[in-house]
Amino acid sequence: MFRLGATTAARFASAPARNYATLREIETRLKSIKNIEKITKTMKIVASTRMGKAQRAIAASRVYSSGDKEFFEVSETKAPEEQEKTLLIAVSSDKGLCGSIHSSIAKNARKKLAEIPNADVVTIGDKIKVQMLRTHADNLVLSFNGIGKEAPTFYESSLIADEIAKLGSYDRVEVLYNKFLSSVAFEPTYVDSFTAASIDASAKLSTFEVDEEASSTAAVAQYSLANTLLAAMSEGYASEIAARRNAMDNASNNAGDMINKYSILYNRTRQAVITNELVDIITGASSLG
Amino acid sequence: MFRQSLRSLARVNKFAGVRTYAEAANSDVLKLSLALPHTAIYNNKAITQVNVPGASGEMGILANHVPIVEQLKPGVVEVIEEAGSTKYFISGGFVNVLPNSKVNISTVEAFKLEDFSAEKVKTLLAEAQKNAASADEAVSAEANIQIEVLESLQAAGVH
């Protein structure tokens, strides 16, 4: 019992010293949280200003890709059922701090690869590349980076489509991207980029007059791959910007909450330290007198 | 008096409503979408006729045209509306005409014909012709494409 009393006494004795230390600690922590809040707020503002541009890009690219889409609908083009040689193009970007944008693509890509283990994978963006390398390094055949800093352009998507065309022919090409639903929601979506063979095999291609000499279905397929990629990249870009804005908004709010909590703690601790010092001074003075 | 004016107002509205429905159902109207990757010049707009530079030759498309898919060369797309016609120079692309009198033209770049400078075209053409004779195959191939585009620009009558 005495021993117990001694330890508590020792703890009390060291208490003021610990208070001084925590006061300093709280102060530095408070400062760093304030700095983080500044950064997240700025990132949120940057994302907000880019949002308008990204949404305009999406509206234009939706009209642009609707031309191809309507043609495929009327001609009833379908992807082949048996998946012998499949190419999966996962579209994401290089930068993080945007919620679950990259991980949702990675999750869906892994699910797809569990169904078709021998599919080849092309990644657009460093984040998705790293994720794919971790689990399916053997499937990865090609990757691109440096995309998604600005709204994607047709020049970028056609360069990518050219590189992909060099990989050889596939029975089925699928593009995985984040579809932009609203400024708070996105959805990982697959879209087929039809190959020349599947366009040739369309049920109602005979509805259209195709001048065999002047334009081939291979050219249509190549052009539509670039278009599909552009649409996927614009949707992904807008989703990413929206997700980043939301993530940074949440981070700023959380930082604000923490700043409030820590300022109260800081003031309370400072008060306690002052009270302790006063007690010391008064006790000292009264013992002298 | 008030009642009467209210009734005539209602009648006008009803009439307007009926007309839009009739228009939508009418397949004799040609609908055009002329879209670039970064902007849409026409989006499902009713027009009279559109002339396009097809790879197999120039063609005019009116309402109820047979469905086609065709690659486009660099050349002039002429959009004829009731108010008049507008000419755009496009860099090539695709046109598809759907069974319901809808035309989709997708191209990478398109500008109004009057926005081009004839002098600039001339100097660029001279440069491209010089490059076409280059020993480097890639350079000469690129120059040949440039010549094709610039010559069709000149043929389109850029002043």
Side-chain angles (χ1 to χ4, degrees):
Chain A
M1 206 246 144
F2 262 101
R3 226 173 100 199
L4 194 75
T7 43
T8 43
R11 204 180 291 157
F12 269 113
S14 70
R18 212 180 67 187
N19 263 351
Y20 274 120
T22 27
L23 196 59
R24 184 61 54 76
E25 265 173 35
I26 291 169
E27 203 182 349
T28 48
R29 192 174 285 184
L30 195 57
K31 253 184 207 160
S32 76
I33 296 170
K34 275 180 182 164
N35 284 336
I36 290 170
E37 195 203 20
K38 263 182 220 159
I39 294 169
T40 55
K41 257 189 183 161
T42 317
M43 285 181 80
K44 186 196 151 193
I45 291 164
V46 171
S48 303
T49 49
R50 283 191 181 161
M51 194 65 232
K53 212 176 160 192
Q55 266 173 324
R56 275 199 298 281
I58 247 187
S61 94
R62 274 183 183 163
V63 175
Y64 186 66
S65 56
S66 72
D68 279 359
K69 220 179 271 167
E70 282 167 3
F71 163 60
F72 290 131
E73 265 167 29
V74 172
S75 62
E76 294 187 0
T77 306
K78 281 196 191 82
E81 289 298 324
E82 74 277 13
Q83 304 180 330
E84 291 207 339
K85 210 173 165 211
T86 304
L87 179 69
L88 178 66
I89 305 172
V91 182
S92 139
S93 79
D94 295 348
K95 294 267 167 65
L97 289 179
C98 49
S100 61
I101 285 281
H102 306 303
S103 55
S104 67
I105 290 283
K107 211 191 281 169
N108 273 275
R110 286 201 186 107
K111 220 185 277 170
K112 196 78 182 176
L113 284 169
E115 284 170 30
I116 339 163
N118 61 346
D120 283 347
V121 178
V122 170
T123 58
I124 298 176
D126 276 342
K127 288 278 166 187
I128 182 73
K129 178 187 159 196
V130 170
Q131 294 261 355
M132 285 291 103
L133 275 179
R134 208 177 291 158
T135 51
H136 295 90
D138 296 339
N139 297 71
L140 194 65
V141 288
L142 192 62
S143 64
F144 299 90
N145 66 357
I147 283 145
K149 278 180 194 145
E150 287 292 321
T153 61
F154 185 77
Y155 182 60
E156 287 171 348
S157 79
S158 57
L159 286 180
I160 294 172
D162 270 355
E163 287 299 318
I164 290 173
K166 282 182 201 161
L167 289 176
S169 70
Y170 286 90
D171 297 328
R172 185 170 190 181
V173 179
E174 282 190 271
V175 182
L176 171 63
Y177 67 101
N178 281 314
K179 192 178 173 61
F180 179 81
L181 299 178
S182 75
S183 59
V184 286
F186 62 89
E187 191 181 31
T189 313
Y190 287 101
V191 63
D192 268 299
S193 175
F194 297 113
T195 57
S198 35
I199 296 174
D200 280 333
S202 313
K204 296 212 172 143
L205 187 66
S206 55
T207 318
F208 292 92
E209 243 177 48
V210 183
D211 194 330
E212 292 295 339
E213 281 169 34
S215 46
S216 62
T217 42
V220 175
Q222 215 173 11
Y223 193 59
S224 96
L225 174 63
N227 292 349
T228 314
L229 279 176
L230 179 72
M233 277 156 57
S234 332
E235 297 264 349
Y237 177 71
S239 310
E240 185 194 326
I241 296 287
R244 176 164 299 125
R245 193 181 63 176
N246 292 337
M248 288 303 115
D249 191 29
N250 288 340
S252 307
N253 286 344
N254 287 345
D257 287 350
M258 276 176 89
I259 287 169
N260 281 344
K261 228 162 65 187
Y262 273 97
S263 336
I264 290 170
L265 185 66
Y266 175 75
N267 288 337
R268 200 172 284 162
T269 316
R270 198 190 49 177
Q271 202 70 52
V273 169
I274 293 168
T275 317
N276 263 345
E277 278 173 359
L278 274 179
V279 167
D280 281 355
I281 292 164
I282 294 165
T283 328
S286 64
S287 69
L288 282 177
Chain B
M1 196 241 149
F2 264 98
R3 223 174 102 200
Q4 198 181 24
S5 65
L6 203 67
R7 195 184 297 157
S8 64
L9 197 72
R11 201 178 296 149
V12 168
N13 262 348
K14 200 174 141 202
F15 189 48
V18 169
R19 251 173 77 172
T20 22
Y21 278 121
E23 250 167 35
N26 191 358
S27 73
D28 291 339
V29 177
L30 191 63
K31 294 270 179 61
L32 173 72
S33 291
L34 175 54
L36 316 182
H38 48 90
T39 172
I41 300 177
Y42 287 90
N43 187 7
N44 225 352
K45 194 164 183 246
I47 56 157
T48 321
Q49 186 190 341
V50 59
N51 298 336
V52 294
S56 61
E58 300 273 329
M59 57 182 159
I61 299 168
L62 287 160
N64 294 323
H65 192 278
V66 65
I68 53 159
V69 181
E70 177 132 352
Q71 200 167 345
L72 299 178
K73 318 181 282 196
V76 177
V77 168
E78 187 178 11
V79 182
I80 302 166
E81 293 169 270
E82 274 174 26
S85 79
T86 325
K87 284 181 176 176
Y88 294 92
F89 189 85
I90 64 159
S91 61
F94 277 91
V95 60
N96 47 43
V97 181
L98 301 171
N100 56 354
S101 282
K102 173 141 197 257
V103 187
N104 288 316
I105 300 174
S106 41
T107 174
V108 179
E109 277 297 356
F111 288 101
K112 281 190 179 168
L113 205 54
E114 59 257 32
D115 293 345
F116 287 93
S117 139
E119 286 150 43
K120 190 86 190 165
V121 170
K122 226 175 258 171
T123 51
L124 281 174
L125 188 58
E127 202 178 307
Q129 272 159 348
K130 212 164 43 185
N131 285 343
S134 161
D136 191 344
E137 263 182 42
V139 173
S140 73
E142 209 170 282
N144 278 325
I145 297 170
Q146 264 185 326
I147 291 173
E148 191 195 332
V149 175
L150 292 167
E151 276 179 348
S152 48
L153 248 177
Q154 270 188 336
V158 171
H159 332 280

